[in-house]
Amino acid sequence: MSLPRIAIDAMGGDEGVRTMIEGAALARRRHDRFKFLLVGDETRIKAALETHPGMSGASDILHCDDVVAGDELPSRALRRAKTTSMGLAVDAVKRGEAGAAVSAGNTGALMAMSKLALRTMPGLDRPALAALLPTLGENDVIMLDLGANRDCDARNLVQFAIMGAAYSRIVTGRERPRVRLLNIGTEETKGTEDIQAAADALREADNLAMNFEGYTEADKINRGECDVVVCDGFSGNIALKAIEGAARFVTDLLRQAFTSSIRSKVGFLVSRPATELLKHHLDPNNHNGAVFLGLNGVVVKSHGSANAKGVANAVEVAARLLEDDITNRIANDLGKIDTQGFNGK
């Protein structure tokens, strides 16, 4: 099956061109049907392609030497959308020259440019940033919103649940993903008015392709007890960074413990299979690729510090969303909730 080509912002991320091209090449070695539009400095891209000969015939280059800085304000970056590698990658999706865009650049700028170029889907108030997080269960959990929307009302949360469930059906294969709202407790009386109103609406919307299971607390996100966790962007971003910080803490603690003495080094050798499994599970590169759900097009945000393996995973996320037509899935499900007459109040 052929796929629309994927636009790669080759200039974004901490490592820039070399890592972005290496990641795209790795994704293509896994899936030889992938094709790319590489956006960035042509000289540097061609130099990076020399070590990946299989990429040349599958890639076109769109020259651009203007880059969005990692600390640049989204409002300022937006004014340069037509001259930066990030903006041109997103614009390629708008013009139909690419099916999806992948960037490891400034998250706020990427969201601003994507919203302006692709617009929010009809019937949807706001797009949301969604990502896969590791769990103790068989599948990763999808969490949204992770920072695109600071303040969210009940209607926003319901729409996020619909989008997250559509994404989860692609990732997990479940016909009715288990959906929960992030809250400070699991009792029905807990939470803000908006959270409670969203929960009431989701309980009543029995024609949606999901199983709404009420609330979950932050310490249960990675337990594998649900498939989708829904929250406002402020809470979601805090929870995400706390999870990432805890993972780094555990990794660093183990490293210190296993290097503190000769006995501990011997213990490391004995337990190495288990520690390697833990390392793999906690490595963010294995779960890289956050998605801006709710736009008229596919845009995937790779972590700025991602290595080539992480970039490859982000590219594969974009391809999978194209294959499974995430945009139409969300549109169909939004139509179902509209028949309930829910107004988010």
Side-chain angles (χ1 to χ4, degrees):
M1 174 184 175
S2 62
L3 280 173
R5 62 183 179 175
I6 297 172
I8 305 290
D9 172 15
M11 310 295 282
D14 298 348
E15 300 296 329
V17 175
R18 180 186 61 80
T19 298
M20 296 303 293
I21 300 302
E22 185 178 351
L26 176 58
R28 178 164 170 76
R29 287 199 294 273
R30 297 173 181 169
H31 311 278
D32 59 8
R33 69 189 186 282
F34 287 3
K35 295 184 179 180
F36 304 101
L37 175 64
L38 306 175
V39 187
D41 186 278
E42 186 172 11
T43 301
R44 295 172 62 188
I45 291 175
K46 285 184 175 179
L49 287 174
E50 289 179 358
T51 57
H52 304 287
M55 282 283 288
S56 297
S59 305
D60 295 312
I61 300 174
L62 177 59
H63 174 71
C64 172
D65 56 11
D66 193 5
V67 183
V68 176
D71 59 353
E72 190 167 344
L73 290 174
S75 56
R76 183 184 175 200
L78 197 58
R79 292 195 291 269
R80 299 189 297 116
K82 295 183 179 180
T83 64
T84 58
S85 58
M86 178 187 290
L88 290 175
V90 173
D91 192 57
V93 179
K94 175 185 178 181
R95 298 196 311 270
E97 296 180 1
V102 176
S103 176
N106 183 312
T107 304
L110 183 61
M111 173 56 92
M113 291 181 181
S114 299
K115 287 175 67 175
L116 181 65
L118 302 176
R119 303 295 181 183
T120 304
M121 293 173 57
L124 190 68
D125 296 338
R126 303 177 183 181
L129 182 61
L132 292 166
L133 304 180
T135 73
L136 294 175
E138 295 180 357
N139 299 305
D140 292 339
V141 62
I142 292 168
M143 188 169 175
L144 72 166
D145 178 31
L146 295 178
N149 305 281
R150 184 183 63 184
D151 300 311
C152 299
D153 61 19
R155 180 182 176 87
N156 300 144
L157 295 174
V158 170
Q159 292 178 348
F160 295 170
I162 292 170
M163 294 192 292
Y167 186 15
S168 182
R169 291 200 299 277
I170 293 173
V171 174
T172 67
R174 292 180 183 268
E175 293 184 4
R176 296 180 64 85
R178 301 163 297 169
V179 178
R180 297 184 186 182
L181 292 168
L182 184 64
N183 204 343
I184 58 173
T186 58
E187 300 89 347
E188 291 188 10
T189 57
K190 291 293 181 72
T192 64
E193 290 183 3
D194 285 317
I195 290 176
Q196 292 182 17
D200 290 341
L202 289 169
R203 289 190 190 98
E204 295 172 3
D206 54 7
N207 63 339
L208 292 174
M210 70 171 76
N211 286 325
F212 178 67
E213 298 183 344
Y215 304 137
T216 188
E217 295 176 276
D219 63 335
K220 301 294 194 303
I221 291 173
N222 302 105
R223 302 299 299 178
E225 297 173 356
C226 63
D227 304 303
V228 182
V229 174
V230 179
C231 54
D232 63 83
F234 186 82
S235 303
N237 193 267
I238 290 175
L240 174 65
K241 289 176 179 174
I243 291 170
E244 291 176 339
R248 286 193 295 270
F249 172 73
V250 170
T251 302
D252 292 344
L253 194 63
L254 286 173
R255 185 182 298 111
Q256 289 180 6
F258 283 127
T259 58
S260 61
S261 66
I262 294 177
R263 172 182 280 186
S264 64
K265 290 178 181 178
V266 173
F268 169 72
L269 293 175
V270 173
S271 61
R272 189 165 187 173
T275 55
E276 287 298 316
L277 179 62
L278 178 64
K279 180 181 178 182
H280 174 82
H281 210 55
L282 295 179
D283 185 354
N285 288 291
N286 294 322
H287 308 276
N288 188 45
V291 185
F292 292 139
L293 294 177
L295 298 173
N296 292 301
V298 175
V299 178
V300 175
K301 172 66 174 69
S302 172
H303 201 289
S305 62
N307 60 20
K309 180 174 67 174
V311 173
N313 283 336
V315 170
E316 290 171 359
V317 167
R320 191 167 186 180
L321 293 177
L322 287 174
E323 284 181 318
D324 289 278
D325 200 3
I326 184 66
T327 303
N328 279 333
R329 281 177 179 251
I330 292 173
N332 290 336
D333 288 352
L334 284 172
K336 294 176 182 178
I337 195 69
D338 286 342
T339 64
Q340 299 290 324
F342 175 63
N343 61 11
K345 303 299 182 184

